[in-house]
Amino acid sequence: MRVTVGLGIALMVLGCGGGGDTQEADAGMAEEAAMPARVTITQPADGAVVDAGPVLFVMETEGLEIVEAGNMNPGTGHHHLVVDGDIDWALPIPNDPGVHYHMGLAQTEFTIEDLTPGEHRVISVVADGVHIPVDPPVADTITITVR
Ligand SMILES: [Cu+2]
């Protein structure tokens, strides 16, 4: 019986990619699935004015695990920062420093050294092991001004 239930949960996870299923076989798991994952840029604050020079970005996540790039386990991903750029939600995030940055070693903080003076839109987005944004999207956007 235990084996049957365990296998059922394993198949369910594989089948749905780790999200969305609210079967009540396991109350704890149903609760977890009901909470949407999210990411927040906790530093700098949205609207902050920062001095030119290195700027430290700090990300906090809920509802998913931050792991190294290459890990395709359901419910995991790694951080990215997109500076004044766009995101194609269906494609791998490009690797072009200056616009798209990958935190492929599971970092939750990242310093951008060379932000130009002026206003910048910075998007934090969590993507899977092959750098495709997780679905549903887990992202946060701030605007900062470098002086
Ligand atoms: Cu990546």
Side-chain angles (χ1 to χ4, degrees):
M1 185 56 187
R2 282 182 66 91
V3 170
T4 304
V5 171
L7 182 60
I9 290 173
L11 290 174
M12 185 179 77
V13 169
L14 287 173
C16 71
D21 199 313
T22 53
Q23 276 190 3
E24 291 175 10
D26 181 324
M29 183 171 181
E31 200 172 295
E32 196 171 300
M35 184 183 76
R38 57 181 212 172
V39 62
T40 306
I41 300 174
T42 58
Q43 183 184 327
D46 188 22
V49 178
V50 301
D51 291 329
V55 178
L56 176 68
F57 292 84
V58 180
M59 283 72 68
E60 284 184 9
T61 47
E62 291 175 52
L64 55 73
E65 185 185 356
I66 296 302
V67 296
E68 293 189 9
N71 186 330
M72 290 300 290
N73 289 339
T76 70
H78 62 279
H79 288 294
H80 303 75
L81 290 173
V82 181
V83 179
D84 302 323
D86 294 317
I87 297 169
D88 188 326
W89 299 99
L91 293 177
I93 295 170
N95 194 1
D96 53 345
V99 183
H100 299 87
Y101 299 85
H102 295 250
M103 278 110 263
L105 300 176
Q107 306 98 307
T108 58
E109 302 182 355
F110 192 79
T111 299
I112 297 180
E113 305 282 350
D114 49 3
L115 284 173
T116 55
E119 191 174 280
H120 297 284
R121 182 188 67 175
V122 181
I123 306 171
S124 162
V125 54
V126 178
D128 67 14
V130 294
H131 317 283
I132 298 174
V134 298
D135 182 17
V138 175
D140 188 29
T141 302
I142 65 169
T143 301
I144 63 169
T145 300
V146 176
R147 65 181 173 195

